[in-house]
């Protein structure tokens, strides 16, 4: 249970509800990422709330890590500052609770090492208790996630694994089978914030993933403009934007201006996603390798 902004208790928001709403409105869902602790813990929470006010359907609440190997310069700069300022998992749980109180699902984004050090079962218990709905751990292979699968099932959490263009159909099947909530299809090869999103290539990966699962498939990495978001919204169940939100905070002269920039950008992306034609959702037709 979580407490609404009006003080009333209710069940924690779930990813499935967000996708159901988007599907009923014949559109893709919009998911935004921000790291906890930048430009401050309070400022990061306010920025996440601003994303929701701007129209995002769910928020990836980032847990800062000292070696974010899959993240580009924007996110690296923000998480390094957050760690230097003393951001800890307790602050992440505060952010999760604040997002859940808005009515939007809060899914934690974290590398695996901090969770392993914290204790897998304890992390799952605390995340669920804070109102979180699941975890994205980009460096945790689905094949090595038995402990997390057990802990997440026990605590009613979704688990999201990443699918890449280079993945074979056999591996996509493993990823999809291990996932709950949605499958994260990487839009580009490289770190977050990379340019060069090719919608046709991302569409092909989404199609391949859909051949092995009925879960929603969301595309992230490489999306930084409303035009790109609208292109992806034509074929994916969800559009994930991270570095471009972080950049609004990094480039702002002060915290308040950055939060306003996040709100405006969220509203722009929301308008772009909702203006796109309804996503074409192919169904499972074959398990033959199409790589």
């Amino acid at each position: 249970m979580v407490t609404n902004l009006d003080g009333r208790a209710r069940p924690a928001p779930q990813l499935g509800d967000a996708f159901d709403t988007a599907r009923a409105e014949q559109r893709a869902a919009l998911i935004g990422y921000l790291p906890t602790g930048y430009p401050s813990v309070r400022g990061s929470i306010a920025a996440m709330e601003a994303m929701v006010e701007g129209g995002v359907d769910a928020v990836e609440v980032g847990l800062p890590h000292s070696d974010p190997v899959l993240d580009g310069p924007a996110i690296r700069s923000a998480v390094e500052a957050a760690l230097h300022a003393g951001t800890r998992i307790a602050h992440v749980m505060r952010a999760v609770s604040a997002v859940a109180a808005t009515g939007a699902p809060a899914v934690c984004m974290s590398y695996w090492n901090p969770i392993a050090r914290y204790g897998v079962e304890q992390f799952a218990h605390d995340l669920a208790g804070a109102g979180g709905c699941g975890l994205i751990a980009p460096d945790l292979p689905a094949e090595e996630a038995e402990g997390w699968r057990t802990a997440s099932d026990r605590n009613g959490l979704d688990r999201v694994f990443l699918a890449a263009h280079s993945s074979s159909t056999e591996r996509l099947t493993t990823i999809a089978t291990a996932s709950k909530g949605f499958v994260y299809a990487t839009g580009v090869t490289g770190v977050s914030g990379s340019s060069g999103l090719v919608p046709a290539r991302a569409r092909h990966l989404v199609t391949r993933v859909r051949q092995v699962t009925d879960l929603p498939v969301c595309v992230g990495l490489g999306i930084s403009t409303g035009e790109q978001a609208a292109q992806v919204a034509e074929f994916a169940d969800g559009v994930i934007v991270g570095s471009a939100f972080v950049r609004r905070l990094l480039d702002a002269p002060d915290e308040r201006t950055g939060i306003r920039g996040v709100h405006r950008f969220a509203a722009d992306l929301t308008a772009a996603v909702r203006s796109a034609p309804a996503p074409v959702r192919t169904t499972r037709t074959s398990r033959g390798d199409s790589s």
Side-chain angles (χ1 to χ4, degrees):
M1 302 292 286
V2 298
T3 302
N4 281 343
L5 297 177
D6 60 8
R8 292 182 297 177
R10 60 169 177 75
Q14 299 297 310
L15 284 170
D17 296 332
F19 287 116
D20 287 346
T21 296
R23 190 174 297 112
E25 296 176 358
Q26 297 187 313
R27 61 174 178 85
L30 176 61
I31 301 172
Y33 161 89
L34 282 174
T36 306
Y38 187 83
S40 65
V41 172
R42 182 178 296 179
S44 65
I45 292 173
M48 293 175 196
E49 292 170 338
M51 281 201 298
V52 177
E53 292 171 3
V56 304
D57 296 287
V59 176
E60 290 183 12
V61 179
L63 193 164
H65 187 267
S66 58
D67 187 24
V69 295
L70 298 179
D71 291 317
I75 293 178
R76 278 181 172 270
S77 294
V79 299
E80 286 171 6
L83 288 171
H84 183 72
T87 303
R88 298 292 183 266
I89 288 179
H91 299 124
V92 176
M93 297 302 175
R94 279 176 51 191
V96 166
S97 293
V99 170
T102 69
V107 56
C108 184
M109 166 71 88
S110 175
Y111 291 90
W112 186 245
N113 191 44
I115 296 171
R117 290 202 311 266
Y118 190 83
V120 175
E121 182 63 39
Q122 187 65 52
F123 184 85
H125 176 272
D126 291 354
L127 180 59
C133 64
L135 172 73
I136 304 168
D139 62 338
L140 177 64
E143 298 87 344
E144 300 174 17
E146 186 59 36
W148 176 242
R149 292 177 70 171
T150 299
S152 58
D153 281 343
R154 185 177 292 124
N155 289 275
L157 296 169
D158 288 334
R159 49 183 179 264
V160 179
F161 293 97
L162 275 63
H165 296 282
S166 58
S167 300
S168 66
T169 297
E170 180 180 8
R171 181 141 205 280
L172 289 180
T173 301
T174 299
I175 291 167
T177 300
S179 295
K180 288 179 63 180
F182 68 90
V183 176
Y184 192 129
T186 56
V188 297
T189 301
V191 298
S192 64
S194 302
S195 58
L197 174 74
V198 180
R201 196 160 181 247
R203 184 193 294 266
H204 178 61
L205 177 57
V206 170
T207 298
R208 292 184 60 218
V209 174
R210 285 196 177 129
Q211 289 177 340
V212 298
T213 185
D214 293 323
L215 285 173
V217 184
C218 302
V219 174
L221 301 184
I223 303 170
S224 59
T225 68
E227 180 182 5
Q228 290 173 329
Q231 289 174 327
V232 172
E234 292 186 19
F235 58 84
D237 297 290
V239 179
I240 304 172
V241 180
S243 293
F245 273 117
V246 177
R247 182 59 64 188
R248 266 60 187 179
L249 296 174
L250 287 171
D251 293 344
D254 55 69
E255 189 171 287
R256 181 174 297 181
T257 302
I259 293 168
R260 287 200 298 264
V262 166
H263 182 275
R264 285 195 299 270
F265 187 51
D268 291 344
L269 290 174
T270 297
V273 167
R274 293 180 182 229
S275 71
V280 177
R281 295 182 173 88
T282 55
T283 57
R284 281 189 276 183
T285 57
S286 171
R287 293 188 182 270
D289 197 331
S290 59
S291 60

